[in-house]
Amino acid sequence: AQSVSQHNHHVILSEAASLELGCNYSYGGTVNLFWYVQYPGQHLQLLLKYFSGDPLVKGIKGFEAEFIKSKFSFNLRKPSVQWSDTAEYFCAVIIKAAGNKLTFGGGTRVLVKP
Amino acid sequence: GAGVSQSPSNKVTEKGKDVELRCDPISGHTALYWYRQSLGQGLEFLIYFQGNSAPDKSGLPSDRFSAERTGGSVSTLTIQRTQQEDSAVYLCASSPSEGGPYEQYFGPGTRLTVT
């Protein structure tokens, strides 16, 4: 079965540090890729998405992600985090051949220390 | 504009009882999705409706789970004879479906606790 892997379950870092969260998926066909964020007590919201075109996509709040097709990866980055970036981050994939349902990774809890 | 709304926000029920969870999608969105978020299983797909097509039920974990969508808008997820392992946050999402692709917009979820 197709799957999405997020390598880090928990990340702790200080403000102004750089963040990179890994995401790999196991499907060789056409995919749409997403990063969603869930702030404490809030619902899931979209950070950024990749459908086609430039593999480097920019999202809200200074986040960006790079789609590397040859590595089946879609890693999330932010050069300088803030305390308000404390949240759980989910990578998700739509496999076009399987319909529009999202397959999520296990999530990464990020704690930014002030 | 208004986002996806879900009710109730919290539901506590006794094992063996039936529960109904409601989702109101964003107006005009023709695709509606149900997911659940639990500690053991993470975020997993349950079912989705797209326009007038037959729903994709491939994620429903057992025949105790069912969902319907009336009039192409509001959806109800029903869990019969609830079990403790059904305890989770049930999330609804919606999106446009013509053309696309599109992102999915999530509601706040219903936290179900089965005692």
Side-chain angles (χ1 to χ4, degrees):
Chain A
Q2 293 83 8
S3 67
V4 181
S5 299
Q6 292 183 239
H7 314 300
N8 308 97
H9 298 295
H10 292 89
V11 172
I12 302 173
L13 60 169
S14 299
E15 279 193 311
S18 63
L19 174 70
E20 181 160 0
L21 303 181
C23 173
N24 285 89
Y25 61 94
S26 61
Y27 181 71
T30 302
V31 294
N32 298 145
L33 299 159
F34 306 82
W35 277 96
Y36 280 86
V37 62
Q38 190 168 31
Y39 297 104
Q42 297 187 27
H43 59 274
L44 276 170
Q45 54 187 285
L46 185 74
L47 266 182
L48 47 76
K49 59 186 182 278
Y50 173 80
F51 293 157
S52 64
D54 188 345
L56 183 63
V57 292
K58 296 191 183 298
I60 61 171
K61 305 188 179 186
F63 285 90
E64 64 179 31
E66 185 174 14
F67 171 48
I68 303 179
K69 189 173 182 179
S70 61
K71 295 185 178 180
F72 301 94
S73 71
F74 190 55
N75 293 351
L76 180 71
R77 298 192 291 255
K78 184 170 183 178
S80 177
V81 295
Q82 301 174 314
W83 174 78
S84 58
D85 294 322
T86 294
E88 189 161 15
Y89 294 80
F90 295 92
C91 180
V93 174
I94 286 177
I95 295 164
K96 294 307 293 178
N100 286 328
K101 54 199 174 194
L102 287 163
T103 300
F104 286 90
T108 299
R109 289 185 182 272
V110 174
L111 173 63
V112 180
K113 294 183 174 180
Chain B
V4 177
S5 60
Q6 294 185 244
S7 61
S9 55
N10 283 283
K11 177 72 176 178
V12 181
T13 190
E14 292 179 354
K15 177 181 172 181
K17 295 284 180 69
D18 298 351
V19 295
E20 287 188 350
L21 312 179
R22 176 187 168 104
C23 172
D24 280 272
I26 292 172
S27 177
H29 281 189
T30 50
L32 185 148
Y33 312 80
W34 285 98
Y35 298 87
R36 74 176 176 182
Q37 186 173 20
S38 58
L39 283 176
Q41 303 297 324
L43 268 159
E44 52 181 347
F45 164 77
L46 296 176
I47 184 172
Y48 90 91
F49 300 86
Q50 182 161 328
N52 295 321
S53 304
D56 178 341
K57 304 179 181 180
S58 60
L60 294 178
S62 78
D63 59 7
R64 296 186 296 104
F65 288 72
S66 63
E68 63 177 22
R69 188 176 187 191
T70 53
S73 181
V74 171
S75 177
T76 303
L77 178 69
T78 301
I79 309 173
Q80 295 179 311
R81 305 180 303 283
T82 52
Q83 303 295 311
Q84 288 187 328
E85 61 263 29
D86 299 335
S87 295
V89 177
Y90 288 82
L91 298 173
C92 178
S94 72
S95 75
S97 60
E98 299 304 318
Y102 298 101
E103 66 186 83
Q104 295 176 24
Y105 296 81
F106 283 82
T110 293
R111 182 175 296 277
L112 175 66
T113 304
V114 182
T115 61

